[in-house]
Amino acid sequence: MLITIRKPSDAKEVEVTPQVLFESRRRFIKTAALGVAGGAVAFTLPGAPDARAVVTAGNGEKLAGIVDGPYATTEKLTPYKDVTTYNNFYEFGTSKSDPAENAKNFITRPWTVSIEGEVAKPGVVDVEDLIRSHQLEERIYRHRCVEAWSMVVPWVGVPLSAILKRVEPTSNAKFVAFETLYDPKRMPGQNRSVLDWPYVEGLRLDEAMNPLAILAVGVYGERMPAQNGAPIRLVTPWKYGFKGIKSIVKIRLVRDMPPTTWNKSAAREYGFYANVNPRVDHPRWSQAKERRIGEFFRRKTLMFNGYGAEVADMYRTMDLSKNF
């Protein structure tokens, strides 16, 4: 067993997170006065009260033609300012504030995504064409970071399954591999060897086809800010946030489980599946509770981040303490 149960008092270590940085004595931003209210949270289908009524977006470019997606939550949205200034995006720096500061001039147009591998119709799609050719949906999802903090984010995007179906996966396709742009001139964090660049991630094909999985191109009804993964990123709300690879340039369908950046960096700490699981702790801190950005008290973390009804069946035969 590689999991160690920690006491709640270990909270400061939670904020430090990645071992590779912990060991190199890097400084991490402290998050003041953040906590989480105890008790369960609600996951509801359409018809729930509109949590968007209590928030305002930024001043970015609005996305047109957005419809409400099939999933939402009644929980209060995390303020736009926090969503866009408290980020993990190591391509722009390791502190939470670095992405917003260092990605200001990140150019994301034109931008293409190559879809290749075990597909009948490989190709390169322009992100603008992708946006125009699909119905944009707003999905209000809980976002749970492996560092034990969380947000509620109104993403805008399209189902990943819709894009994969366009390229017609072959019977050999078992996994989906993702790759981020590698360009140290545009992404200054890539000049540091804190991770093995470019950032790569992966999903099992059935996970990628799950209705919850989306490729997001915006938040709060606006185009995706650079610090959040512009122009297109993965969102899988039942998994820890590091699974949400940003600024995607390549999607490759493959036969074998692909490598993932954090798993390569610290396999004991970051498994391939990265499913939110309060019963499987990170080796250096508990995952039983989380602190919701903007709240004082910590709240209990829900299995699969509260999306068990939609995803648990995919893992029913797996030992989740080993396949974490």
Side-chain angles (χ1 to χ4, degrees):
M1 172 67 75
L2 52 80
I3 303 303
T4 302
I5 297 177
R6 295 285 185 175
K7 299 178 180 179
S9 58
D10 293 335
K12 290 185 178 180
E13 191 175 15
V14 170
E15 295 175 358
V16 176
T17 313
Q19 185 178 29
V20 62
L21 300 180
F22 178 80
E23 292 173 343
S24 63
R25 299 175 182 274
R26 295 199 58 81
R27 297 179 60 190
F28 291 86
I29 298 295
K30 292 183 178 180
T31 306
L34 298 176
V36 184
V41 291
F43 176 68
T44 61
L45 294 175
D50 188 355
R52 292 166 297 180
V54 299
V55 300
T56 57
N59 297 314
E61 184 179 348
K62 307 299 181 185
L63 289 165
I66 303 170
V67 300
D68 291 340
Y71 303 99
T73 174
T74 58
E75 294 176 75
K76 181 180 178 180
L77 299 186
T78 300
Y80 177 88
K81 182 178 180 181
D82 291 328
V83 170
T84 56
T85 59
Y86 192 80
N87 308 107
N88 284 324
F89 196 176
Y90 285 8
E91 285 82 346
F92 292 103
T94 54
S95 294
K96 296 289 188 295
S97 59
D98 282 347
E101 181 65 27
N102 298 331
K104 290 179 179 177
N105 299 316
F106 185 54
I107 297 173
T108 58
R109 298 181 192 175
W111 190 282
T112 59
V113 178
S114 174
I115 306 178
E116 55 194 56
E118 295 290 350
V119 297
K121 297 180 177 179
V124 178
V125 59
D126 186 281
V127 169
E128 297 302 318
D129 291 336
L130 184 148
I131 293 174
R132 283 192 292 267
S133 60
H134 289 86
Q135 176 65 65
L136 290 180
E137 298 179 6
E138 183 170 75
R139 304 284 190 95
I140 302 177
Y141 284 155
R142 287 184 291 279
H143 175 85
R144 173 60 155 82
C145 180
V146 71
E147 299 169 356
W149 55 264
S150 62
M151 295 180 172
V152 177
V153 182
W155 303 105
V156 177
V158 300
L160 175 57
S161 62
I163 295 172
L164 296 181
K165 289 176 182 176
R166 286 176 49 173
V167 296
E168 299 181 7
T170 72
S171 60
N172 293 323
K174 307 301 181 186
F175 294 87
V176 184
F178 302 87
E179 185 173 313
T180 295
L181 173 71
Y182 178 67
D183 187 344
K185 292 183 179 179
R186 297 164 65 188
M187 295 177 142
Q190 292 178 336
N191 290 301
R192 299 178 178 180
S193 57
V194 293
L195 291 173
D196 184 16
W197 311 113
Y199 196 104
V200 292
E201 256 302 342
L203 294 171
R204 228 171 44 193
L205 183 59
D206 61 331
E207 295 178 309
M209 300 300 283
N210 187 283
L212 286 176
I214 62 171
L215 288 179
V217 297
V219 293
Y220 278 89
E222 299 178 354
R223 287 187 179 273
M224 186 72 71
Q227 61 268 33
N228 291 84
I232 187 167
R233 60 166 291 169
L234 176 67
V235 177
T236 48
W238 71 98
K239 295 178 178 291
Y240 292 121
F242 68 87
K243 204 70 175 174
I245 184 170
K246 305 175 180 71
S247 301
I248 297 169
V249 294
K250 183 183 293 183
I251 299 173
R252 185 173 180 82
L253 282 81
V254 296
R255 301 185 183 204
D256 301 316
M257 180 180 287
T260 66
T261 290
W262 280 106
N263 185 251
K264 289 193 296 181
S265 176
R268 288 186 65 255
E269 300 193 6
Y270 308 102
F272 175 84
Y273 287 96
N275 289 325
V276 176
N277 189 341
R279 296 190 289 271
V280 177
D281 291 331
H282 185 281
R284 291 185 284 131
W285 58 77
S286 169
Q287 295 289 22
K289 293 186 177 181
E290 64 198 62
R291 52 184 175 81
R292 177 68 51 81
I293 300 299
E295 295 181 349
F296 184 77
F297 295 104
R298 295 169 68 82
R299 64 168 64 192
K300 292 182 179 178
T301 285
L302 302 176
M303 187 67 196
F304 297 118
N305 205 20
Y307 299 98
E310 290 75 21
V311 304
D313 194 55
M314 294 190 294
Y315 311 105
R316 65 185 183 284
T317 63
M318 298 175 62
D319 182 344
L320 298 183
S321 66
K322 297 178 179 177
N323 298 283
F324 58 93

